[in-house]
Amino acid sequence: VWVVAAISPVDRETWMLENGLVLVMVVALVVTHRRFVFSNVSYGLMFVFLLLHALGAHYTYSQVPVGDWVRDWLGLHRNHYDRFVHFSFGLLLAYPLRELTLRVVHVHHRWSWVAPPMAVLAMSASYEIIEWWAARTVDPAVGIAYLGAQGDVWDGQKDMSMAFTGA
Protein backbone atom coordinates (compact mmCIF):
# COMPACT_ATOMS: atom_id res chain seq x y z
CA VAL A 1 0.00 0.00 0.00
CA TRP A 2 2.80 2.39 0.91
CA VAL A 3 4.58 1.77 -2.42
CA VAL A 4 1.36 2.37 -4.37
CA ALA A 5 0.73 5.57 -2.37
CA ALA A 6 4.28 6.69 -3.22
CA ILE A 7 3.49 6.62 -6.94
CA SER A 8 2.67 10.13 -8.15
CA PRO A 9 1.48 11.71 -4.90
CA VAL A 10 -0.22 15.11 -5.23
CA ASP A 11 2.84 16.82 -3.74
CA ARG A 12 6.08 14.81 -3.50
CA GLU A 13 7.74 17.10 -0.92
CA THR A 14 4.70 17.03 1.36
CA TRP A 15 4.49 13.26 0.93
CA MET A 16 8.11 12.94 2.03
CA LEU A 17 7.51 15.12 5.10
CA GLU A 18 4.38 13.16 6.02
CA ASN A 19 6.18 9.83 5.83
CA GLY A 20 9.29 10.68 7.83
CA LEU A 21 7.79 9.77 11.20
CA VAL A 22 5.98 6.77 9.72
CA LEU A 23 9.31 5.44 8.53
CA VAL A 24 10.73 5.88 12.04
CA MET A 25 7.72 4.03 13.51
CA VAL A 26 7.99 1.11 11.09
CA VAL A 27 11.76 0.82 11.57
CA ALA A 28 11.25 0.83 15.36
CA LEU A 29 8.66 -1.96 15.05
CA VAL A 30 11.02 -4.03 12.89
CA VAL A 31 14.07 -3.46 15.11
CA THR A 32 12.22 -4.29 18.34
CA HIS A 33 10.19 -7.20 16.94
CA ARG A 34 12.37 -9.88 18.54
CA ARG A 35 12.24 -8.24 21.98
CA PHE A 36 8.58 -7.24 21.95
CA VAL A 37 5.86 -8.81 19.83
CA PHE A 38 2.53 -7.05 19.82
CA SER A 39 -0.70 -9.03 19.59
CA ASN A 40 -2.27 -9.57 16.19
CA VAL A 41 -5.00 -7.14 17.20
CA SER A 42 -2.42 -4.42 17.88
CA TYR A 43 -0.62 -5.03 14.59
CA GLY A 44 -3.99 -4.91 12.82
CA LEU A 45 -4.91 -1.59 14.47
CA MET A 46 -1.52 -0.10 13.58
CA PHE A 47 -1.95 -1.32 10.00
CA VAL A 48 -5.37 0.37 9.69
CA PHE A 49 -3.88 3.62 11.02
CA LEU A 50 -1.03 3.39 8.51
CA LEU A 51 -3.55 2.81 5.68
CA LEU A 52 -5.44 5.96 6.66
CA HIS A 53 -2.17 7.86 6.86
CA ALA A 54 -0.94 6.56 3.49
CA LEU A 55 -4.11 7.87 1.85
CA GLY A 56 -3.74 11.25 3.56
CA ALA A 57 -0.07 11.56 2.65
CA HIS A 58 -0.71 10.59 -0.98
CA TYR A 59 -3.25 13.35 -1.56
CA THR A 60 -2.02 15.73 1.17
CA TYR A 61 -4.53 15.63 4.00
CA SER A 62 -6.48 18.70 2.93
CA GLN A 63 -7.13 17.26 -0.54
CA VAL A 64 -8.22 13.66 0.19
CA PRO A 65 -11.23 13.06 -2.09
CA VAL A 66 -13.35 11.28 0.54
CA GLY A 67 -12.84 14.30 2.82
CA ASP A 68 -14.02 16.58 0.01
CA TRP A 69 -17.10 14.41 -0.55
CA VAL A 70 -17.99 14.52 3.16
CA ARG A 71 -17.35 18.30 3.25
CA ASP A 72 -19.69 18.86 0.30
CA TRP A 73 -22.32 16.39 1.55
CA LEU A 74 -22.47 17.96 5.04
CA GLY A 75 -21.90 21.55 3.88
CA LEU A 76 -18.70 21.95 5.92
CA HIS A 77 -16.18 24.75 5.36
CA ARG A 78 -13.10 22.49 5.12
CA ASN A 79 -11.93 18.96 4.42
CA HIS A 80 -11.85 17.22 7.83
CA TYR A 81 -9.98 14.08 6.76
CA ASP A 82 -6.99 15.17 8.88
CA ARG A 83 -9.19 15.42 11.97
CA PHE A 84 -10.59 11.96 11.25
CA VAL A 85 -7.05 10.56 11.08
CA HIS A 86 -6.05 12.33 14.31
CA PHE A 87 -9.10 10.79 16.01
CA SER A 88 -8.16 7.42 14.50
CA PHE A 89 -4.60 7.82 15.79
CA GLY A 90 -5.91 7.92 19.34
CA LEU A 91 -8.57 5.27 18.81
CA LEU A 92 -6.38 2.79 16.95
CA LEU A 93 -3.14 3.21 18.91
CA ALA A 94 -4.54 3.27 22.46
CA TYR A 95 -4.83 -0.54 22.50
CA PRO A 96 -1.21 -1.17 21.41
CA LEU A 97 -0.06 1.46 23.89
CA ARG A 98 -1.97 -0.34 26.66
CA GLU A 99 -0.18 -3.54 25.67
CA LEU A 100 3.13 -1.72 26.13
CA THR A 101 1.91 -0.31 29.45
CA LEU A 102 0.97 -3.74 30.76
CA ARG A 103 3.80 -5.86 29.38
CA VAL A 104 6.82 -3.54 29.32
CA VAL A 105 6.21 -0.83 31.89
CA HIS A 106 4.26 -3.26 34.14
CA VAL A 107 1.67 -0.67 35.07
CA HIS A 108 -1.58 -2.34 36.06
CA HIS A 109 -5.06 -1.58 37.30
CA ARG A 110 -6.38 1.94 36.75
CA TRP A 111 -3.09 3.35 35.51
CA SER A 112 -3.05 0.92 32.60
CA TRP A 113 -6.17 2.70 31.35
CA VAL A 114 -4.88 6.21 32.07
CA ALA A 115 -1.39 5.88 30.58
CA PRO A 116 -2.40 5.19 26.92
CA PRO A 117 -4.56 8.33 26.49
CA MET A 118 -1.84 10.39 28.18
CA ALA A 119 0.76 8.87 25.82
CA VAL A 120 -1.49 9.61 22.82
CA LEU A 121 -1.85 13.21 23.95
CA ALA A 122 1.91 13.55 24.48
CA MET A 123 2.69 12.01 21.08
CA SER A 124 0.07 14.18 19.40
CA ALA A 125 1.46 17.35 20.98
CA SER A 126 4.99 16.30 20.02
CA TYR A 127 3.84 15.68 16.45
CA GLU A 128 2.21 19.11 16.24
CA ILE A 129 5.45 20.73 17.43
CA ILE A 130 7.52 18.72 14.92
CA GLU A 131 4.99 19.58 12.20
CA TRP A 132 5.27 23.30 13.01
CA TRP A 133 9.07 23.14 13.06
CA ALA A 134 9.25 21.25 9.76
CA ALA A 135 6.76 23.60 8.11
CA ARG A 136 8.89 26.61 9.11
CA THR A 137 12.11 25.13 7.70
CA VAL A 138 10.90 24.03 4.24
CA ASP A 139 9.63 26.01 1.28
CA PRO A 140 6.62 28.08 2.53
CA ALA A 141 4.19 26.51 0.04
CA VAL A 142 5.26 23.00 1.08
CA GLY A 143 5.00 24.01 4.73
CA ILE A 144 1.43 25.24 4.32
CA ALA A 145 0.44 22.02 2.50
CA TYR A 146 2.14 19.94 5.20
CA LEU A 147 0.39 21.76 8.04
CA GLY A 148 -2.99 21.34 6.37
CA ALA A 149 -4.51 23.95 8.70
CA GLN A 150 -6.83 25.19 5.93
CA GLY A 151 -7.07 28.62 7.51
CA ASP A 152 -7.87 27.36 11.03
CA VAL A 153 -5.61 29.07 13.59
CA TRP A 154 -6.59 26.43 16.19
CA ASP A 155 -5.80 23.48 13.91
CA GLY A 156 -3.02 22.05 16.09
CA GLN A 157 -5.09 22.23 19.25
CA LYS A 158 -8.11 20.66 17.53
CA ASP A 159 -5.92 17.87 16.13
CA MET A 160 -4.57 17.09 19.61
CA SER A 161 -8.11 17.15 21.01
CA MET A 162 -9.26 14.69 18.37
CA ALA A 163 -6.42 12.27 19.12
CA PHE A 164 -7.10 12.48 22.87
CA THR A 165 -10.85 11.97 22.30
CA GLY A 166 -10.12 8.93 20.13
CA ALA A 167 -7.96 7.42 22.85
Side-chain angles (χ1 to χ4, degrees):
V1 170
W2 186 77
V3 170
V4 170
I7 298 170
S8 300
V10 169
D11 183 328
R12 174 71 58 196
E13 290 175 309
T14 301
W15 180 88
M16 289 171 62
L17 283 172
E18 293 284 2
N19 282 288
L21 288 175
V22 170
L23 185 59
V24 170
M25 177 185 161
V26 171
V27 167
L29 286 171
V30 170
V31 168
T32 61
H33 180 71
R34 289 193 185 272
R35 286 175 287 200
F36 185 85
V37 178
F38 283 97
S39 68
N40 289 339
V41 171
S42 285
Y43 283 123
L45 293 170
M46 288 185 271
F47 177 73
V48 171
F49 171 72
L50 291 173
L51 286 176
L52 295 171
H53 174 74
L55 180 65
H58 177 79
Y59 287 102
T60 73
Y61 276 87
S62 60
Q63 298 179 49
V64 174
V66 70
D68 288 339
W69 301 333
V70 171
R71 178 199 63 213
D72 295 344
W73 185 53
L74 297 176
L76 302 171
H77 69 283
R78 74 188 294 274
N79 181 324
H80 285 279
Y81 185 79
D82 65 322
R83 299 262 163 76
F84 170 72
V85 175
H86 281 279
F87 177 82
S88 298
F89 173 79
L91 181 69
L92 298 171
L93 296 185
Y95 186 90
L97 288 169
R98 185 160 188 266
E99 269 190 41
L100 280 172
T101 302
L102 291 169
R103 294 176 36 210
V104 174
V105 185
H106 304 292
V107 172
H108 294 282
H109 306 295
R110 289 185 199 141
W111 287 109
S112 72
W113 294 100
V114 173
M118 294 299 112
V120 164
L121 185 57
M123 289 187 296
S124 184
S126 298
Y127 177 79
E128 293 298 328
I129 291 167
I130 291 167
E131 186 179 57
W132 163 74
W133 177 81
R136 295 206 24 108
T137 48
V138 298
D139 173 36
V142 173
I144 294 298
Y146 177 56
L147 281 177
Q150 301 177 65
D152 186 351
V153 296
W154 300 106
D155 182 67
Q157 291 84 349
K158 290 176 182 176
D159 290 346
M160 290 183 284
S161 296
M162 292 303 292
F164 186 60
T165 302

